[in-house]
């Protein structure tokens, strides 16, 4: 965290260390006014930027999400009834949740307070991931790609090594282990600080939460034509 406005340019202050120096004293993240992380004089609000001045719409993230939505909507034209409007609504809601997590002020303030950082994790792994999977995105997104891209991607997806790889990743046991590891490892203080201080590792962290969430919910909801290796009850237990 940079001490903006204080004239200090000595480098970032990792969120975990800031939190430990000003521990939470109650449910309001502070005592008295409830506006800080503790009773000390420095709180995340001292470091947080002014919202109108600091937040701008990230263009590349927004463009990527819009293009994925366009490919999905284009590709679902002419598909059978199983690709219903309700499925499309779920997929678009998942993309909207993804945008909120990665491109809205939630992402900005995740660098300055613990709770928006945790909100990001929940949105990515437990809201965006299941909504995207419920949209059964595989077939529509592929059909929505330009023909030249389909000719390039199609043989890659059909390659034996690739099929073995995604069978392994989509096995319920693999998905559950990876999901648990992502949740635990990224909250180890060293890795947590790394993700807060370095944008690249912050992006890797987000990819881990979203990707492992998709793997788990792919088994839970079985989007056509996928069939999980486990029966329904064990698959639901993956969420516990």
């Amino acid at each position: 965290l940079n001490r903006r406005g204080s004239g200090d340019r000595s480098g970032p202050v990792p969120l975990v260390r800031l939190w430990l120096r000003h521990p939470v004293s109650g449910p309001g993240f502070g005592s008295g006014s409830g506006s800080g992380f503790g009773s000390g004089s420095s709180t995340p609000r001292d470091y947080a930027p002014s919202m109108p001045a600091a937040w701008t719409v990230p263009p590349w993230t927004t463009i990527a999400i819009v293009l994925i939505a366009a490919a999905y909507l284009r590709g679902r034209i002419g598909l059978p009834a199983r690709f219903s409007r309700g499925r499309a609504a779920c997929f678009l809601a998942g993309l909207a949740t993804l945008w909120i997590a990665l491109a809205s002020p939630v992402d900005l303030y995740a660098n300055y307070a613990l709770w928006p950082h945790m909100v990001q994790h929940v949105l990515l792994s437990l809201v965006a991931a299941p909504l995207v999977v419920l949209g059964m995105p595989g077939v529509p997104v592929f059909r929505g790609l330009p023909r030249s891209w389909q000719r390039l991607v199609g043989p890659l997806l059909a390659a034996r090594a690739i099929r073995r790889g995604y069978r392994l990743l989509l096995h319920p046991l693999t998905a559950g282990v990876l999901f648990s590891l992502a949740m635990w490892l990224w909250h180890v203080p060293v890795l947590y600080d790394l993700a807060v201080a370095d944008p690249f590792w912050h992006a890797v962290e987000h990819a881990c939460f979203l990707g492992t969430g998709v793997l788990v919910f792919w088994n839970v909801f079985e989007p056509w034509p996928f069939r999980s290796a486990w029966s329904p009850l064990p698959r639901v237990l993956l969420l516990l």
Side-chain angles (χ1 to χ4, degrees), residues 62-72 95 144:
T62 302
I63 290 171
I65 290 174
V66 169
L67 289 177
I68 293 170
Y72 180 93
L95 292 184

Side-chain angles (χ1 to χ4, degrees), residues 13-14 20 24 31 34 41-42 87 91 93 140 168 178 183-184 210 216:
V13 179
L20 292 175
V24 179
S31 58
S41 59
S42 296
R87 296 283 186 181
F91 185 75
L168 175 62
L178 291 176
M183 287 293 175
W184 282 97
L210 178 64
V216 166

Side-chain angles (χ1 to χ4, degrees), residues 71-142:
Y72 180 93
L73 293 175
R74 178 174 181 262
R76 70 177 293 271
I77 296 173
L79 288 176
R82 65 166 56 94
F83 295 93
S84 62
R85 292 181 179 178
R87 296 283 186 181
C90 287
F91 185 75
L92 296 177
L95 292 184
T97 305
L98 187 61
W99 186 89
I100 291 171
L102 300 180
S104 78
V106 170
D107 183 59
L108 174 67
Y109 271 85
N111 293 318
Y112 295 90
L114 186 63
W115 71 265
H117 196 93
M118 296 299 102
V119 166
Q120 267 192 318
H121 298 175
V122 172
L123 289 176
L124 289 170
S125 58
L126 299 178
V127 182
L131 286 172
V132 165
V133 172
L134 281 171
M136 298 198 303
V139 174
V141 170
F142 180 78

Side-chain angles (χ1 to χ4, degrees), residues 158-177:
R160 181 175 299 178
I162 298 296
R163 284 184 291 149
R164 286 178 178 173
Y166 63 65
R167 282 195 195 114
L168 175 62
L169 287 175
L170 286 172
H171 191 278
L173 184 60
T174 307
V177 169

